[in-house]
C-alpha cells in the first residue's frame, strides 16, 4: 500500500512557466517510488503565465484540491487601471514606475510577508486539515517560492505532527531580487523570523544546488544530513521524437528560452555580436529570445544595431519551448548577478542539456551551473563582462557550423542522472528518511 504525501504548491497547472515543472514532475513520478501524491493548490492563482496543456501531464486519478485565496493583485489592478494579468507581471518583474507602482512595491515588501501570496495560507491550512482528518497522509511536501507555501506546511505539521519536507526552488531572504525590495528593517526582521521558523521546524530541507545547500546549512544551523539537494531535471517524455538542428539549416540560431529581466540583460553579448557584425563575420548568425523580454534588454539590442538579427517571441507553451531548444544551433543561458548566484542552476538548464545543443552560458565562471556544464561537456560559462570571450566562443561555434560540423552538446548518458524520474526517486528516499 502506497504512503500518502500531501504536495502543497502554489504553482500548478494551469500555471505555466518554469516554477510549475518541478512539482508537476514530482507528482507524475512519485507513485513509482511508493507514494500517492495528493495535491493542494490554489483555485485561481495569480500566475504570470498560463499553460493549459500542462494539465494533461497530471495522472487522471491524482486528487487535486484547490482552495480560494486572497491576493493584492486585483486591488493593484484597480488602482493602476491595469488588467489583473499586468498587475501580476509587475509584481513578478522589477520595473520602474510612478508613485502608485512605488507605493504598491512598498506595500508588497512591508505588509504582505513573506510574499504577496500569503493570503492563501489560512485557506490551504484549513483544507489540509480537512483532508488529513478524512484520510490521514503520512508526509507533507511544500515547494516554494512563493515561500508563504512553507507557512502552510509549518501550520499543518504543528497541528497534525505529520513529517514535513520543505523544498526551496529558490532561496528565501537571500534570493536574487531580495535586495531590490524596499523593505524596512522591521519587515526584514519579521520575514527572517518566518524563514528561521521554517528552516528550524521542517523535518528535512531540500534545495536545487550544492552551493544553495551550503547557504541553508549555515543559515539554519542544521546538521549535514538534514538538508539535501534534489536537482531540477528534464523529463525524457518531453524530448521523445523532437527535431534536432543540424548543419543543413540555413541560419545559425542562438536561442534563449525564458524571461530576460533587466537584471539578466547580457550586455557583453550584445557588444560581442556588434563586434562580430562590424568585422563582417557571422552573416547567418541569428538570436531568438523566447519569453518575456524587458524593455531595457530591447533597448540594448537597438543601441547595438542588432534589430535585424534578434527575434523576440512572446511566451510559448512548454511543449513549444522544448521544440525551440531542440531546433536551435546553440542555447543561451544567462545568470543574473546577486549575492548567491554561484548556486543558481535554472530549471531550463537541464532541459538545455537534454536537448543536446551546446550551451553558451553568461554568468559566474565558478559555480554550480559552470560545474554542471563542464561535467556534462555541454558548454561553458563565460564571465558577464567578458565580451571578447563571448565573441570568440560564438565564432568558434558558428565557424564549426558553417563547415558543416555537427555541434556537440551533452549526450543522454551524461545527463541521465538528472532525469525527473531519477530526481523524484531521490526525493522519495528523503521522505522515507523522515518517517
Amino acid at each position: 500500500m502506497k504512503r500518502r504525501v500531501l504536495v502543497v504548491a502554489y504553482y500548478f497547472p494551469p500555471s505555466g512557466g518554469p516554477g510549475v515543472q518541478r512539482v508537476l514532475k514530482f507528482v507524475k513520478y512519485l507513485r513509482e517510488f511508493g507514494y500517492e501524491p495528493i495535491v493542494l493548490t490554489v483555485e485561481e492563482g495569480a500566475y504570470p503565465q498560463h499553460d493549459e496543456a500542462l494539465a494533461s501531464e497530471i495522472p487522471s486519478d491524482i486528487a487535486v484540491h484547490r482552495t480560494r485565496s486572497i491576493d493584492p493583485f486585483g486591488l493593484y489592478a484597480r488602482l493602476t487601471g491595469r488588467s489583473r494579468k499586468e498587475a501580476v507581471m509587475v509584481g513578478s518583474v522589477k520595473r520602474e514606475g510612478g508613485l502608485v507602482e512605488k507605493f504598491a512595491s512598498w506595500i508588497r515588501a512591508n505588509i504582505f510577508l513573506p510574499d504577496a501570496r500569503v493570503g492563501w495560507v489560512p485557506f490551504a491550512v484549513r483544507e489540509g486539515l480537512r483532508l488529513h482528518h478524512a484520510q490521514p497522509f503520512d508526509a507533507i511536501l511544500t515547494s516554494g517560492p512563493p515561500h508563504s507555501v512553507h507557512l502552510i506546511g509549518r501550520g499543518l505539521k504543528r497541528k497534525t505532527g505529520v513529517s514535513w519536507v520543505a523544498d526551496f526552488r529558490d532561496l528565501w531572504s537571500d534570493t536574487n531580487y531580495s535586495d531590490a525590495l524596499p523593505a524596512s528593517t522591521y519587515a526584514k526582521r519579521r520575514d527572517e523570523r518566518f524563514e528561521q521558523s521554517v528552516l528550524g521546524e521542517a523535518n528535512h530541507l531540500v534545495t536545487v544546488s550544492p552551493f544553495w545547500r551550503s547557504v541553508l546549512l549555515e543559515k539554519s544551523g542544521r546538521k549535514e544530513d538534514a538538508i539535501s539537494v534534489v536537482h531540477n531535471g528534464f523529463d525524457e517524455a518531453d524530448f521523445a521524437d523532437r527535431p534536432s538542428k543540424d548543419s543543413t539549416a540555413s541560419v545559425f540560431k542562438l536561442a534563449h528560452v525564458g524571461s530576460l529581466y533587466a537584471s539578466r540583460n547580457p550586455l557583453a553579448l550584445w557588444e560581442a555580436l556588434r563586434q562580430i557584425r562590424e568585422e563582417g563575420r557571422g552573416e547567418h548568425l541569428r538570436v531568438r529570445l523566447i519569453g518575456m523580454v524587458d524593455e531595457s534588454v530591447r533597448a540594448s539590442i537597438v543601441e547595438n544595431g542588432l534589430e535585424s538579427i534578434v527575434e523576440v517571441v512572446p511566451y510559448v507553451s512548454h511543449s513549444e519551448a522544448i521544440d525551440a531548444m531542440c531546433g536551435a544551433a546553440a542555447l543561451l543561458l544567462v545568470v543574473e548577478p546577486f549575492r548567491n548566484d554561484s548556486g543558481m542552476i535554472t530549471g531550463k538548464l537541464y532541459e538545455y542539456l537534454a536537448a543536446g545543443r551546446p550551451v553558451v552560458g553568461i554568468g559566474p565562471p565558478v559555480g554550480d551551473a559552470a560545474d554542471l556544464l563542464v561535467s556534462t561537456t555541454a558548454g561553458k560559462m563565460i564571465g558577464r563582462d567578458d565580451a571578447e570571450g563571448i565573441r570568440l566562443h560564438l565564432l568558434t561555434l558558428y565557424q564549426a557550423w558553417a563547415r558543416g560540423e555537427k555541434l556537440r552538446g551533452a549526450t543522454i548518458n551524461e545527463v541521465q542522472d538528472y532525469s525527473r524520474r531519477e530526481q523524484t526517486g531521490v526525493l522519495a528516499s528523503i521522505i522515507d528518511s523522515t518517517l
Side-chain angles (χ1 to χ4, degrees), residues 41-103:
T41 188
V42 68
E43 191 171 61
E44 293 184 10
Y47 304 139
Q49 296 100 17
H50 286 72
D51 189 345
E52 302 290 344
L54 291 179
S56 65
E57 296 196 40
I58 307 169
S60 59
D61 55 348
I62 290 286
V64 180
H65 301 269
R66 301 180 186 273
T67 77
R68 65 181 294 252
S69 175
I70 297 173
D71 68 59
F73 297 104
L75 175 61
Y76 178 80
R78 289 193 294 273
L79 287 174
T80 61
R82 299 176 186 265
S83 69
R84 188 169 183 271
K85 181 178 180 180
E86 289 175 318
V88 174
M89 287 303 297
V90 169
S92 304
V93 183
K94 185 180 184 297
R95 296 180 179 176
E96 297 301 324
L99 288 176
V100 173
E101 284 81 3
K102 290 178 180 178
F103 178 65

Side-chain angles (χ1 to χ4, degrees), residues 94-409:
K94 185 180 184 297
R95 296 180 179 176
E96 297 301 324
L99 288 176
V100 173
E101 284 81 3
K102 290 178 180 178
F103 178 65
S105 180
W106 187 91
I107 292 291
R108 152 66 186 93
N110 293 277
I111 305 300
F112 293 97
L113 297 172
D115 51 61
R117 275 75 172 182
V118 70
W120 183 44
V121 173
F123 300 97
V125 169
R126 184 165 64 237
E127 179 66 3
L129 288 173
R130 185 191 71 79
L131 293 171
H132 182 64
H133 291 150
Q135 188 175 358
F137 34 80
D138 300 287
I140 302 163
L141 171 68
T142 57
S143 185
H147 293 304
S148 52
V149 167
H150 298 311
L151 301 186
I152 298 167
R154 185 188 68 173
L156 290 173
K157 182 191 175 183
R158 286 177 175 179
K159 293 177 182 295
T160 66
V162 172
S163 178
W164 165 38
V165 175
D167 175 40
F168 287 80
R169 302 191 313 273
D170 284 315
L171 296 176
W172 189 321
S173 60
D174 301 289
T175 194
N176 53 340
Y177 57 81
S178 58
D179 292 336
L181 293 172
S184 67
T185 300
Y186 170 78
K188 289 179 180 178
R189 288 175 179 169
R190 186 167 175 236
D191 190 46
E192 288 171 359
R193 285 197 294 272
F194 281 138
E195 180 183 25
Q196 283 298 324
S197 70
V198 168
L199 296 180
E201 293 185 44
N203 293 77
H204 203 98
L205 304 175
V206 167
T207 192
V208 297
S209 70
F211 185 84
W212 284 2
R213 176 180 177 272
S214 68
V215 172
L216 291 179
L217 279 168
E218 182 177 357
K219 182 176 282 285
S220 68
R222 301 284 293 264
K223 294 181 178 179
E224 289 276 342
D225 61 0
I227 306 179
S228 301
V229 173
V230 176
H231 290 271
N232 285 306
F234 68 96
D235 191 343
E236 292 173 284
D238 291 339
F239 289 84
D241 302 319
R242 297 285 181 173
S244 181
K245 200 74 172 177
D246 59 29
S247 58
T248 63
S250 59
V251 295
F252 177 104
K253 282 189 179 179
L254 175 67
H256 179 275
V257 180
S259 297
L260 271 181
Y261 306 128
S263 59
R264 282 186 192 161
N265 190 0
L267 296 174
L269 171 65
W270 312 133
E271 181 182 344
L273 289 169
R274 176 177 53 78
Q275 291 176 1
I276 289 172
R277 284 170 59 79
E278 289 174 351
E279 294 167 357
R281 306 166 85 176
E283 178 185 0
H284 301 292
L285 196 161
R286 301 291 184 271
V287 178
R288 197 165 187 237
L289 308 179
I290 303 166
M292 195 288 299
V293 177
D294 190 82
E295 289 302 324
S296 64
V297 179
R298 295 172 186 262
S300 294
I301 292 168
V302 172
E303 288 168 8
N304 285 277
L306 303 174
E307 308 98 299
S308 64
I309 70 165
V310 179
E311 176 190 12
V312 177
V313 180
Y315 177 80
V316 299
S317 71
H318 184 245
S319 179
E320 292 171 301
I322 298 295
D323 279 341
M325 294 177 196
C326 293
L331 295 166
L332 173 65
L333 174 73
V334 183
V335 177
E336 66 267 43
F338 66 101
R339 198 181 335 165
N340 294 298
D341 59 2
S342 294
M344 173 69 91
I345 309 180
T346 61
K348 72 182 168 205
L349 177 51
Y350 297 90
E351 294 184 327
Y352 277 12
L353 301 180
R357 314 314 302 143
V359 179
V360 179
I362 300 176
V366 177
D368 291 337
D371 291 345
L372 183 59
L373 288 176
V374 170
S375 67
T376 57
T377 65
K380 66 185 298 185
M381 187 71 75
I382 306 169
R384 298 182 186 95
D385 300 322
D386 188 2
E388 179 63 9
I390 296 170
R391 185 185 73 86
L392 292 174
H393 187 54
L394 283 177
L395 283 174
T396 298
L397 291 173
Y398 178 82
Q399 289 164 353
W401 169 85
R403 291 192 298 267
E405 298 176 14
K406 184 174 178 62
L407 301 181
R408 188 192 187 285

